[in-house]
Amino acid sequence: MGKVTGFLEYERIEEGYAPVPQRLKHYKEFVIGLAAEQAKVQGARCMDCGTPFCNNGCPVNNVIPDFNDLVYRGDWKNAITVLHSTNNFPEFTGRICPAPCEAACTLNVNDDAVGIKSIEHAIIDKAWEQGWVVPQPPSHKTGKKVAVVGSGPAGMAAAQQLARAGHSVTVFEKNDRVGGLLRYGIPDFKMEKSHIDRRVAQMEAEGVVFRTGVMVGELPKGSKVTNWAKSTVSPEELKAEFDAVLLCGGAEQSRDLPVPGRDLDGVHFAMEFLPQQNKVNAGDKLKGQIRADGKHVIVIGGGDTGSDCVGTSNRHGAASVTQFELMPMPPEHEDKPLTWPYWPYKLRSSSSHEEGCQREFAIATKEFVGEKGKLTGLKTVRVEWKNGKMTEVPGSEQLLKADLALLAMGFISPVAPVVQAFGVELDMRGNAKAGTDTAQGYKTNVEKVFAAGDMRRGQSLVVWAIREGRQAARAVDEFLMGVSSLPR
C-alpha cells in the first residue's frame, strides 16, 4: 500500500492550528487541514504490513490501507467511495474522533503512526468541494415505516441506512435542531454545525423526515438534560404508527458531585454550559446564559467534555481556567510494547489546553464554598492511589478561588424514564439492554423496539455511535424484511 519505501522516506505531518490569540476571538474551526500533496505523502507512509491492525482499531472498520493508497495515487473519487462504504459521516470523525486507528497502526510500534485521521479529513473535504457527496435515494420503497428516536450520530447513521434500504424513516429529536450531542455537546470550534446541516439536507433528499422539538416520553421534573421540546409523543403512539422503533438517544445523564454547597449559584453541569453557547453561535438569543467572562473557572473532570469547557471559557474571556482530574498524571509517553495496538494510557493535551489552562491531577473537591448563595471557592484535597484504592493525603487541603465550577465528570446513562416508558429492560449500568449478536441484533425485550449508540452501550465515541447506528439499521431491516443487503 502507498509507496513501498514511503514509511522510511517521509515523516508524519500534523495538521496545523491557527495562532491562539487569533482563534480565541471566534468560535469557528481553526484546524488547518493537509494540502493534497501533504495528504499524498501521508498516504505514501502506509506500510504493506500484511495485517492492518488499523482496520480493527477503527470501530467502523474503515478500509484504511485502501483509501491511503488511493490518496497516494491521486484517485480521490474512489477514495471517498471506499471511505463512505464503512462510514456515513467522515467529516464528523475526521474532526473529532480521537483516532484509535492511529494507535493501532503498525508503524506506531516504533515510529510515528500514519496520519490516518488527517487523510480522512482531507478526503471528505475534497469530496464535498468537488460535489461528489450527493443524495442516494432508494430505487424502490418497501412500504415499511421506522421511527428513530434521537438525531445524534447513531440516529443519523441508522436513519440514512434505513432510508437507502427503501423504508420510510422519521427521526424524532427533542431539541430544536438535528444533531444530538454533535449539535449541542461539541463546541463549534471543534466542529462547525454546517457539516450537520449538509448531511441533513442530503438525508431529506433521500426521504428521511426530521421532526425536531418533539420529546418522546417525558423527562423527570427538575432534570438538567438539555431539552427545547415544544411537543411530546408517547411511546404507545410510536409503536402503533411505525413498524419498528429504534432508540438512539444519548447518554445524557451527567455524573453529579454531591458534596456540600452543590446548590450554590455558579455550580453547573458542563451540559448546561456548552449547549447554551452553541445556541448563541447559531443566532439564538438566550436570557441568563451561563458565562465565564472575567471569572475564575474550575472545570471538574479531565476528559474531552472538560476540555471543551476550557476552550469555551477562554473564548468567553475567563480570568483563569483550572481543570481538575481525580486520577494521577499519566506518563507523557505510552509503553508501546505493553499497549500496542490498543488505546494507550498517556498524557493527552488538547488544543484547548494550549489556549490557557492550569491542570491539576490527583485532586478531589470536598466542598463548594460560597457567600450569599453564590460560589466563591472550592475546598480541595490531594489524593493518592495505592493498590487501586484512593486515599486523601493528610494536610493537603486547600481553598481555591472560583466564581464558576463546571461538572464534566462523564455521563452515567441515558435518561431512564424515557427508556422505561417503552418498557425496555435496563442493564446494570442503566442502559437499554440489547444484544449485538445475530440472534438478538440490537433488539430489546419489547417487540419491534431496538436500541443503539449511547442509549445501548453508554457514553462513548462518535465513531462507535456511527458503527452502532449502521449495525442496528441492518438488524431493523432484517426484522422488517427477513433479509438485508445493508453492510454489517
Side-chain angles (χ1 to χ4, degrees):
M1 309 307 297
K3 186 177 182 181
V4 175
T5 58
F7 70 98
L8 297 172
E9 299 175 32
Y10 305 121
E11 295 182 355
R12 177 184 171 97
I13 304 173
E14 299 285 354
E15 293 182 314
Y17 291 155
V20 171
Q22 177 181 324
R23 68 192 197 226
L24 283 179
K25 295 178 181 178
H26 59 77
Y27 292 89
K28 297 184 181 297
E29 292 177 13
F30 53 82
V31 172
I32 302 170
L34 300 185
E37 191 60 32
Q38 291 175 315
K40 178 179 179 179
V41 169
Q42 275 305 290
R45 296 183 72 236
C46 188
M47 306 168 67
D48 188 8
C49 59
T51 303
F53 289 87
C54 57
N55 286 30
N56 285 334
C58 172
V60 292
N61 302 125
N62 277 338
V63 193
I64 294 164
D66 289 36
F67 69 63
N68 282 345
D69 183 60
L70 289 165
V71 168
Y72 167 63
R73 300 179 188 284
D75 190 351
W76 292 85
K77 194 166 186 177
N78 274 323
I80 188 57
T81 300
V82 170
L83 184 50
H84 268 151
S85 71
T86 55
N87 186 352
N88 295 66
F89 314 118
E91 63 269 46
F92 302 165
T93 53
R95 285 168 167 80
I96 59 178
C97 183
C101 55
E102 294 186 12
C105 175
T106 302
L107 190 55
N108 193 45
V109 172
N110 63 349
D111 200 348
D112 293 328
V114 174
I116 300 167
K117 178 180 173 181
S118 61
I119 294 173
E120 180 177 342
H121 186 179
I123 293 171
I124 185 59
D125 280 7
K126 179 173 281 291
W128 278 110
E129 177 187 314
Q130 296 296 321
W132 297 332
V133 184
V134 295
Q136 299 177 37
S139 58
H140 69 283
K141 298 292 285 186
T142 65
K144 301 292 185 180
K145 298 172 65 178
V146 182
V148 176
V149 180
S151 68
M156 288 182 68
Q160 185 165 62
Q161 294 294 96
L162 288 165
R164 290 176 176 178
H167 305 303
S168 297
V169 182
T170 302
V171 179
F172 294 85
E173 169 57 52
K174 70 180 185 302
N175 293 321
D176 54 352
R177 296 180 177 90
V178 173
L181 292 177
L182 283 172
R183 174 77 65 175
Y184 287 125
I186 304 295
D188 288 16
F189 56 80
K190 288 177 66 175
M191 193 189 83
E192 293 177 18
K193 306 314 174 217
S194 58
H195 303 298
I196 302 173
D197 297 336
R198 286 194 298 195
R199 284 296 181 180
V200 169
Q202 179 197 32
M203 292 171 66
E204 287 177 333
E206 293 170 348
V208 178
V209 175
F210 292 94
R211 290 185 58 186
T212 57
V214 180
M215 181 72 200
V216 177
E218 294 183 4
L219 287 174
K221 291 183 179 180
S223 172
K224 298 292 187 180
V225 171
T226 301
N227 178 22
W228 287 294
K230 295 182 179 179
S231 62
T232 61
V233 61
S234 71
E236 290 72 26
E237 290 175 298
L238 289 189
K239 288 188 285 186
E241 182 181 351
F242 294 89
D243 299 296
V245 178
L246 176 56
L247 306 179
C248 292
E252 296 183 83
Q253 195 68 53
S254 300
R255 182 173 285 108
D256 209 341
L257 186 59
V259 299
R262 170 63 180 88
D263 58 348
L264 287 170
D265 183 15
V267 183
H268 301 277
F269 285 121
M271 289 308 297
E272 295 176 82
F273 176 68
L274 295 173
Q276 291 185 357
Q277 185 57 55
N278 285 7
K279 279 189 72 70
V280 171
N281 293 345
D284 295 352
K285 294 183 179 180
L286 292 183
K287 292 183 178 180
Q289 181 191 359
I290 303 168
R291 299 280 307 182
D293 312 62
K295 295 179 180 178
H296 297 281
V297 180
I298 294 182
V299 179
I300 303 176
D304 289 340
T305 303
S307 173
D308 294 343
C309 290
V310 170
T312 302
S313 296
N314 279 324
R315 280 163 179 75
H316 281 186
S320 68
V321 182
T322 305
Q323 186 176 20
F324 285 3
E325 170 55 58
L326 189 64
M327 302 299 291
M329 182 176 176
E332 288 193 21
H333 303 285
E334 72 268 38
D335 186 344
K336 288 187 177 181
L338 179 66
T339 61
W340 183 88
Y342 301 107
W343 187 245
Y345 176 66
K346 67 177 182 178
L347 180 66
R348 303 175 192 279
S349 297
S350 70
S351 58
S352 292
H353 293 137
E354 296 168 2
E355 293 165 0
C357 174
Q358 175 68 34
R359 302 172 76 180
E360 298 286 349
F361 294 88
I363 188 170
T365 301
K366 299 286 288 183
E367 181 181 350
F368 296 108
V369 180
E371 294 179 4
K372 298 180 180 180
K374 292 191 175 183
L375 179 72
T376 58
L378 272 66
K379 284 185 179 179
T380 67
V381 65
R382 296 290 171 174
V383 297
E384 58 184 3
W385 295 80
K386 292 182 180 178
N387 300 321
K389 294 183 179 181
M390 184 186 77
T391 58
E392 296 181 2
V393 177
S396 64
E397 294 82 1
Q398 287 180 288
L399 178 60
L400 301 180
K401 181 176 178 57
D403 308 299
L404 177 62
L406 300 171
L407 309 183
M409 302 174 294
F411 304 88
I412 55 176
S413 68
V415 183
V418 176
V419 187
Q420 291 172 325
F422 282 89
V424 171
E425 184 181 350
L426 303 181
D427 64 18
M428 294 179 64
R429 297 184 299 154
N431 303 316
K433 189 175 182 180
T436 59
D437 55 66
T438 52
Q440 291 180 302
Y442 293 85
K443 192 175 185 304
T444 70
N445 61 299
V446 180
E447 179 64 20
K448 74 179 185 181
V449 176
F450 297 74
D454 288 5
M455 182 73 79
R456 190 199 70 83
R457 65 180 289 121
Q459 178 193 7
S460 193
L461 304 175
V462 166
V463 67
W464 269 110
I466 293 173
R467 173 198 171 102
E468 295 233 334
R470 287 172 61 88
Q471 291 191 328
R474 180 183 171 91
V476 172
D477 191 32
E478 284 183 336
F479 168 75
L480 294 175
M481 307 302 294
V483 66
S484 177
S485 60
L486 292 175
R488 293 185 184 277

